[in-house]
Amino acid sequence: MRSLTQFDYMLDSYDSQDQILEDLRSNFINTFPVDYIRNKMTVAEYIEGKGNKDSFCNRLERELSGLGSIKGATASKFGIYYSQKYQKYLINKVWQTPKDNPNLRP
């Protein structure tokens, strides 16, 4: 097994692609700080399905794919999403209905 010190050489290879990915990550976390997500984010700002390209879920899935891809599954992976087929919000059954939004049903 190698020790971490054997990988120090990689620190010198930080290149422009690394900076692009860091800029993407930084932009995302500045747009969506933890306090905002916990206390201020609306369902519309969070969800997939209504065509909002700036939604949290859309940006996480598409914009940040260089940091690790989560593509390939349905929007239900985000817990709540807007169904074009049923024209309403749907909640993944593993989630509970939010207390402040009783109209949202699994």
Side-chain angles (χ1 to χ4, degrees):
M1 179 182 236
R2 295 186 205 176
S3 69
L4 288 177
T5 56
Q6 291 176 307
F7 292 96
D8 282 348
Y9 73 91
M10 296 176 77
L11 295 175
D12 295 331
S13 66
Y14 189 82
D15 62 16
S16 62
Q17 181 62 28
D18 295 326
Q19 187 60 53
I20 290 168
L21 293 174
E22 175 57 26
D23 292 346
L24 284 172
R25 186 197 69 80
S26 182
N27 182 281
F28 185 81
I29 63 171
N30 287 329
T31 303
F32 300 111
V34 173
D35 182 63
Y36 182 80
I37 294 167
R38 287 184 178 156
N39 302 307
K40 299 173 187 167
M41 183 179 284
T42 66
V43 171
E45 291 172 308
Y46 176 78
I47 61 143
E48 266 304 285
K50 280 201 160 184
N52 179 3
K53 301 293 183 201
D54 293 325
S55 74
F56 178 88
C57 294
N58 189 65
R59 288 184 61 192
L60 183 66
E61 183 170 20
R62 291 175 176 80
E63 184 178 304
L64 302 181
S65 62
L67 296 171
S69 179
I70 60 171
K71 288 184 176 183
T74 66
S76 69
K77 69 182 164 228
F78 295 116
I80 184 171
Y81 62 99
Y82 188 81
S83 169
Q84 294 293 327
K85 181 178 179 180
Y86 298 111
Q87 294 294 298
K88 66 179 184 177
Y89 293 106
L90 296 177
I91 296 178
N92 187 317
K93 292 180 182 178
V94 299
W95 284 38
Q96 296 179 355
T97 301
K99 292 176 186 168
D100 60 339
N101 268 316
N103 61 323
L104 299 174
R105 299 276 180 241

